[in-house]
Amino acid sequence: MKKTWQPEELVEYWTLLPLELALLNQKNDENRLGFAILLKFFEIYARFPENNQEISQNVVDYVAKLLDISPQKYSYYDWQGRSIKYHRAQIREFFGFQETKVSDAFELTNWLAEQALIYELKFEQLKLAAVARLRNLKLEPPTDSRLERIIRSAIRNFESKFFRDITSQLSNQSKKWINDFLKEKASDQELDDTTQTNHDKQLNNPGDIQLSQQLDDTNNSEINTEVTRLTWAELKTDPGRIGVESFQKEVAKLEIFEQLELPTDLFKNISTKVLQVYKSRVIVEHPRDLRRHPEHISYTLFTAFCWLRSQEVIDNLVELLIQIVHRIGVNAEKRVDKELIQDFKRVHGKNNLLYQMAEASLKTPDGTVKDVIFPVVSEVTLKNLVKEYKSTGNAYREKVYTVMRSSYGGYYRRILPLILNKLEFRSNNEVHRPVIQAISLLKKYADSKQRYYDAGEDIPIEGVLRSGWQEIILETGADDEIKVNRINYELSVLQALREKLRCKEIWVVGANRYRNPEEDLPADFEAQRLEYFQALKQPSDVEVFIANLQQSLEQSLTLLDKGIPKNSLVTLKKL
């Protein structure tokens, strides 16, 4: 229970209504005060306080003042005798509640196992759900110890059924793959332990060092031939620094998880929060420890881990893609800006210079630039004018794009086949279909070595190429036919894709953070709408939400308006 209540909260929650005051008749002062507090407490929490210490003093003072009774009378209220039992029964009857019976506890256990545990495994959250369920059924919650036993029993029942259901959906091939994988990783760790032990012994036996080095060289050559071979620890870690190598390593992880071939709807009705609990168990265990569990537990824990890690790896790949494309552009701009700053000098009075050059040219139309123009405008001034033009407009963009193209074509382009093969992009908005069509075009030409796309190819331009960049990217042939350079177009598609991914206009199949935005709403939202709004501490009525937001903004603006004139760090200037 809250220990501190604001005055307005006391009025709202602890004021007794006429019907409630009628229940206090024929009771002495200490019983009237104790009964009134029990009554309002039950109305708020749908349970009775465990002892008198659970009630804060300001609540006692407020209720006592309402009843015109001394607050000291509360200490005389008997919390163990027959009176409080009668008072509780009277309060339950007033609110239409009943005590929880054995059959009610059994039904609550089943409800938790079937309806609550598919969304939450944390004990405190389950306790809140159980109390809310009992309140809806107008049942007084049992004691904390009994309620804990009910919840623990529900968890056992849920996990027993859940583990066996998941195992039954796995194919024999998937089970064999899990067994072989865990056995291999357990053997790898044992080999590492043995190698470390032998290495320690060699420190005391120099004669074996040469042989050991030969064996190490042999092992290293074997490991290098297996690009996708990852340790158990590497499967659990996040990607390293932004770059092609990190992207390739994440793809290697994804390929391992894909070999498991899990059904697409394996965890369809299970909340991610529940799976995260099982994933956390796997992370702290070694493969040999996982193998010691009964098969149905081992299979379920490992598949939950792989299911979530697969989503996380896809998210990592998308994040790396976004950051790499951003880095290409930023680095190109920095490089061009650095070059321009070194020799940049702004030329002033350009209109006057243009007039002087035009006048001199008209006076001596047959003269040379050196004889006619340079005496009016110096060669240095003209060079600065050229550099200034190149630092703005299309000339600047063209230079930046040239650097971007060089960086992408010379290094980053190698990740494009991985992107096209491992990530499936979709969109729910027809406006962004050109980007999806452009990705399909990239897939079509993924294995081609030709420089340009075929002349008759349908190439999406609008919605893919940035405005102002088309004249830089599109090339015109000798016959005035527009040609699209593949490298230029690929880079533009990746830039457009980055923008759409960041605002979730385009989403990725199998991802979590970049999943279909229509799946953002919890599956049980409609069934537990009020509970979700309570968890967010927001009203379910949109009008009330807007009114509260407006009130909050008005208060903040008023506070800002009053505070700025008194703030010594702020200076107000009249315009």
Side-chain angles (χ1 to χ4, degrees):
M1 175 186 170
K2 289 177 60 174
K3 292 300 180 183
T4 304
W5 294 76
Q6 299 300 322
E8 59 272 14
E9 292 177 323
L10 291 171
V11 173
E12 180 179 358
Y13 293 103
W14 293 92
T15 300
L16 288 104
L17 302 178
L19 288 177
E20 296 170 338
L21 288 170
L23 298 174
L24 305 182
N25 295 335
Q26 299 179 352
K27 292 180 175 65
N28 58 31
D29 286 350
E30 56 264 28
N31 283 343
R32 290 178 64 213
L33 181 56
F35 183 93
I37 291 175
L38 288 181
L39 178 69
K40 300 307 292 185
F41 187 98
F42 193 91
E43 183 181 22
I44 298 170
Y45 297 104
R47 66 176 180 86
F48 293 110
E50 295 184 0
N51 52 61
N52 61 347
Q53 301 299 321
E54 197 171 350
I55 309 298
S56 61
Q57 187 59 45
N58 62 340
V59 169
V60 175
D61 294 341
Y62 176 76
V63 177
K65 185 177 181 180
L66 284 178
L67 300 177
D68 194 21
I69 299 174
S70 170
Q72 301 298 327
K73 293 288 186 178
Y74 179 67
S75 60
Y76 297 110
Y77 185 67
D78 187 3
W79 285 77
Q80 303 295 331
R82 289 182 299 175
S83 296
I84 192 172
K85 293 181 180 179
Y86 174 70
H87 292 168
R88 287 175 175 173
Q90 199 174 3
I91 292 171
R92 281 193 293 268
E93 182 180 358
F94 178 77
F95 287 110
F97 273 66
Q98 295 180 352
E99 291 185 271
T100 300
K101 297 177 289 188
V102 174
S103 59
D104 297 323
F106 180 76
E107 291 179 3
L108 178 61
T109 302
N110 291 337
W111 180 85
L112 287 170
E114 296 173 3
Q115 301 295 327
L117 279 159
I118 59 176
Y119 303 111
E120 184 64 71
L121 268 181
K122 294 183 179 179
F123 179 83
E124 289 302 323
Q125 296 298 323
L126 291 172
K127 184 176 180 180
L128 292 175
V131 171
R133 173 66 175 177
L134 292 172
R135 183 167 194 160
N136 291 336
L137 297 175
K138 289 189 174 296
L139 294 173
E140 179 191 352
T143 61
D144 283 348
S145 58
R146 187 184 177 195
L147 185 58
E148 180 178 351
R149 290 196 299 271
I150 292 173
I151 295 173
R152 301 294 182 194
S153 175
I155 293 175
R156 286 193 300 271
N157 295 345
F158 166 76
E159 289 192 334
S160 176
K161 184 177 184 301
F162 173 64
F163 291 157
R164 298 187 185 281
D165 286 348
I166 296 300
T167 301
S168 66
Q169 296 181 60
L170 298 177
S171 65
N172 292 331
Q173 183 178 354
S174 296
K175 294 176 183 177
K176 182 180 183 303
W177 188 93
I178 294 174
N179 292 332
D180 294 342
F181 180 86
L182 293 178
K183 183 178 180 180
E184 176 191 354
K185 296 307 176 185
S187 300
D188 288 347
Q189 182 63 34
E190 291 172 0
L191 180 61
D192 292 342
D193 295 341
T194 303
T195 303
Q196 182 63 38
T197 303
N198 292 338
H199 177 73
D200 294 340
K201 290 180 180 179
Q202 288 164 8
L203 296 177
N204 299 324
N205 188 0
D208 294 337
I209 293 179
Q210 184 176 1
L211 176 60
S212 174
Q213 290 175 343
Q214 295 174 355
L215 292 174
D216 288 344
D217 292 339
T218 303
N219 290 336
N220 287 337
S221 65
E222 292 176 357
I223 290 173
N224 290 336
T225 60
E226 297 183 21
V227 180
T228 60
R229 184 177 177 84
L230 298 171
T231 65
W232 175 244
E234 288 175 324
L235 282 177
K236 299 185 290 185
T237 57
D238 292 330
R241 57 184 298 179
I242 302 171
V244 173
E245 291 76 13
S246 295
F247 200 95
Q248 290 172 333
K249 182 166 279 191
E250 291 302 296
V251 168
K253 295 177 186 177
L254 185 59
E255 288 176 344
I256 291 176
F257 296 133
E258 287 176 345
Q259 294 175 23
L260 188 51
E261 297 181 351
L262 297 177
T264 56
D265 58 348
L266 183 62
F267 298 107
K268 182 179 180 180
N269 298 320
I270 303 298
S271 168
T272 301
K273 290 191 294 183
V274 174
L275 298 180
Q276 284 287 0
V277 174
Y278 296 128
K279 172 178 171 277
S280 300
R281 288 175 58 178
V282 175
I283 286 178
V284 298
E285 291 191 10
H286 189 271
R288 62 169 171 262
D289 299 321
L290 285 172
R291 296 180 66 200
R292 292 170 182 166
H293 292 299
E295 282 192 344
H296 63 287
I297 296 178
S298 177
Y299 289 151
T300 303
L301 292 178
F302 186 76
T303 52
F305 166 80
C306 292
W307 182 275
L308 291 184
R309 278 300 290 154
S310 176
Q311 293 180 348
E312 292 169 357
V313 168
I314 293 176
D315 285 335
N316 292 338
L317 288 172
V318 176
E319 196 65 38
L320 284 171
L321 170 63
I322 290 173
Q323 294 173 354
I324 286 173
V325 175
H326 177 67
R327 169 179 282 188
I328 293 173
V330 170
N331 287 351
E333 290 178 358
K334 287 182 179 178
R335 181 176 169 183
V336 173
D337 290 345
K338 185 177 180 180
E339 293 175 357
L340 291 173
I341 288 172
Q342 289 176 352
D343 57 3
F344 176 74
K345 184 177 181 181
R346 186 173 295 279
V347 179
H348 298 283
K350 288 184 281 290
N351 291 336
N352 186 42
L353 293 176
L354 178 62
Y355 167 74
Q356 293 177 11
M357 288 189 293
E359 186 180 38
S361 300
L362 291 173
K363 285 182 178 180
T364 314
D366 298 329
T368 63
V369 173
K370 185 176 183 180
D371 296 333
V372 177
I373 301 299
F374 283 179
V376 178
V377 182
S378 68
E379 183 179 359
V380 174
T381 301
L382 288 175
K383 286 182 178 179
N384 290 334
L385 190 61
V386 171
K387 291 175 182 177
E388 180 179 341
Y389 172 78
K390 287 183 177 180
S391 66
T392 58
N394 288 342
Y396 174 77
R397 288 200 297 268
E398 186 172 355
K399 195 162 188 176
V400 169
Y401 195 83
T402 300
V403 177
M404 290 172 58
R405 185 186 187 283
S406 175
S407 176
Y408 169 72
Y411 181 67
Y412 289 108
R413 196 185 186 196
R414 72 180 83 172
I415 69 171
L416 183 62
L418 302 178
I419 295 171
L420 300 177
N421 291 333
K422 296 301 177 184
L423 299 180
E424 183 180 350
F425 301 98
R426 294 184 185 178
S427 178
N428 301 330
N429 193 336
E430 287 298 323
V431 175
H432 308 291
R433 294 299 301 171
V435 179
I436 301 297
Q437 293 170 356
I439 294 173
S440 299
L441 181 64
L442 299 190
K443 287 183 179 181
K444 180 179 178 180
Y445 283 81
D447 298 326
S448 174
K449 297 188 180 298
Q450 61 191 72
R451 183 177 180 182
Y452 298 96
Y453 291 107
D454 293 337
E457 193 68 63
D458 183 15
I459 304 174
I461 301 297
E462 295 295 331
V464 178
L465 302 188
R466 294 179 177 179
S467 59
W469 290 78
Q470 294 187 13
E471 59 188 41
I472 300 174
I473 297 171
L474 302 179
E475 301 178 11
T476 304
D479 55 352
D480 293 332
E481 183 181 1
I482 295 178
K483 298 190 296 184
V484 180
N485 185 287
R486 285 181 56 210
I487 294 182
N488 291 346
Y489 190 73
E490 288 168 4
L491 183 54
S492 298
V493 172
L494 291 178
Q495 289 176 319
L497 178 61
R498 173 183 179 270
E499 295 175 358
K500 306 307 179 186
L501 285 170
R502 293 183 67 200
C503 59
K504 299 192 76 172
E505 293 291 355
I506 290 180
W507 51 277
V508 184
V509 176
N512 182 31
R513 292 199 309 273
Y514 297 96
R515 65 182 177 270
N516 186 350
E518 294 182 357
E519 297 175 0
D520 288 346
L521 203 63
D524 63 331
F525 180 79
E526 291 301 329
Q528 302 192 42
R529 186 184 184 90
L530 293 178
E531 287 78 2
Y532 277 111
F533 277 107
Q534 290 172 0
L536 294 171
K537 297 181 180 179
Q538 296 293 345
S540 58
D541 189 336
V542 64
E543 297 297 333
V544 176
F545 174 81
I546 294 174
N548 292 342
L549 184 60
Q550 290 175 334
Q551 182 181 2
S552 176
L553 289 173
E554 184 177 352
Q555 291 175 350
S556 299
L557 290 173
T558 302
L559 184 63
L560 177 66
D561 183 58
K562 293 181 179 178
I564 282 183
K566 301 177 183 178
N567 192 333
S568 59
L569 301 177
V570 177
T571 302
L572 298 178
K573 294 183 179 180
K574 293 183 178 180
L575 299 177

